[in-house]
Structures are given as C-alpha cells and as structure tokens.
Amino acid sequence: MNRKTSKGEPWRIGELAKATSVSTDTLRHYERKGALRSARSSNGYREYPENALERVRMIRQALSVGFTLDELSAIFKVFDGGGAPCQQVRSLAAQKLAEVESHLKEVTTLRNDLRATLKDWDARLEKTVLGQPAGLLKALTARDGVQSSSTSFLLRKPKRKRKGKNNE
C-alpha cells in the first residue's frame, strides 16, 4: 500500500481506491449512498478522512454478508452521530439469517421435488417406445405435493455481483 506516512493526512480518492482494491466509481457510489463521506479540498478534489480505509473495508465485508448500502448508510449515520447502533446491526443480521434459512428450505424442497420428478420420468421413459411421447410435462399436473413455493425460487432473478458504480 502506497499510503502517505503522515498520520491524519486525508486520503485522495485514487489512493483510497488502490488501498481498498475498489474503483473510484465505487467509492463515489458509496458516498452518494451516504455510507462514506468526503470533504473537498481547495482545488475541488475529494478528501476522505483517515478512517476511510477501515470504513470501506467494513462496507465491503457487510455487503458480502448481505447488508445493503442503504442499511449501512442508516447504521453509519447513527454511529457517526455518536450513537451505538449495535442492536440495529444485530437485528438486521438476524433478519438476513432468517431469509437465508427460508431460501435454504425452499431450495431443499425444490431439490427433493426435482429428484422425485426425475425418478418418475425415468420410470416413464423406460416404459415408452423410443421416439414416442412419454408425457413427462403432463405427468407434472398429476403429481401431488409439489409446493408452489419451490417454484418461486426458480422465478427469482439471481443477484449478480458486478463491479461498478451502481452495484456496490
């Protein structure tokens, strides 16, 4: 890390981007969302406080476990105002865990449904003359116990992890 040795000296955006391995666009996005703050120097350059390195690392780690920039912005607003948002942070993390548990249950149900479907289809295909319809999709309508919630998992658009100014 090519950080200046002078303690208390502000970070320039390029230096902070390099030190944190994020783009300058990402830092600007964090700033627009309120998760990171900067001041302007006399020449108009962004200057980030000494603790910005730690803040960006915190943001990156929090994003990786499911926090959003909007949530982090609200948390940092309390923290920066001298408050202790620990209960709020814990509550949000518990909520995210509950969502993950729910998704896991849906995925497990979907996996079990697909296993049963494939087993049924394999049996139908074994009894069907090659080139003749086996009615695989029609067989789905006759099945009981397939939960509609399992299909909701397939219909969700996956969250993409993209580097850029609008997604971090």
Side-chain angles (χ1 to χ4, degrees):
M1 170 177 15
N2 295 336
R3 180 66 178 135
K4 299 177 208 89
T5 56
S6 170
K7 200 160 180 83
E9 193 172 331
W11 290 92
R12 291 270 177 93
I13 193 166
E15 297 169 335
L16 185 58
K18 187 173 183 177
T20 57
S21 300
V22 301
S23 70
T24 56
D25 284 341
T26 296
L27 293 176
R28 287 184 198 99
H29 182 63
Y30 291 171
E31 194 174 342
R32 281 191 303 274
K33 294 297 260 177
L36 186 63
R37 289 192 279 159
S38 72
R40 295 291 180 152
S41 65
S42 59
N43 60 6
Y45 291 138
R46 282 180 166 86
E47 292 184 336
Y48 295 93
E50 186 179 357
N51 69 347
L53 178 67
E54 181 183 20
R55 174 67 59 99
V56 172
R57 288 177 177 163
M58 242 187 298
I59 291 168
R60 303 293 292 170
Q61 284 301 115
L63 290 172
S64 76
V65 296
F67 285 86
T68 67
L69 283 175
D70 290 334
E71 291 167 338
L72 293 173
S73 178
I75 290 165
F76 289 142
K77 185 176 182 179
V78 172
F79 179 78
D80 293 341
C86 298
Q87 291 300 321
Q88 181 183 2
V89 170
R90 203 254 180 236
S91 177
L92 282 169
Q95 181 182 358
K96 290 177 185 318
L97 178 59
E99 290 170 8
V100 167
E101 296 287 351
S102 176
H103 290 303
L104 282 173
K105 186 176 178 183
E106 287 182 31
V107 170
T108 300
T109 299
L110 176 60
R111 180 201 62 201
N112 294 341
D113 288 345
L114 283 170
R115 281 182 178 164
T117 298
L118 287 171
K119 185 177 179 180
D120 176 58
W121 286 359
D122 288 343
R124 287 174 183 274
L125 287 169
E126 253 182 56
K127 297 176 191 173
T128 304
V129 176
L130 188 62
Q132 295 297 310
L136 300 183
L137 291 177
K138 285 184 181 180
L140 287 176
T141 61
R143 289 199 54 213
D144 289 330
V146 177
Q147 297 183 1
S148 62
S149 65
S150 64
T151 59
S152 68
F153 179 77
L154 289 176
L155 297 175
R156 280 192 207 112
K157 290 189 177 186
K159 290 183 180 177
R160 288 183 169 177
K161 284 195 167 195
R162 296 186 317 186
K163 291 194 177 192
K165 62 182 173 184
N166 294 326
N167 294 324
E168 300 200 32

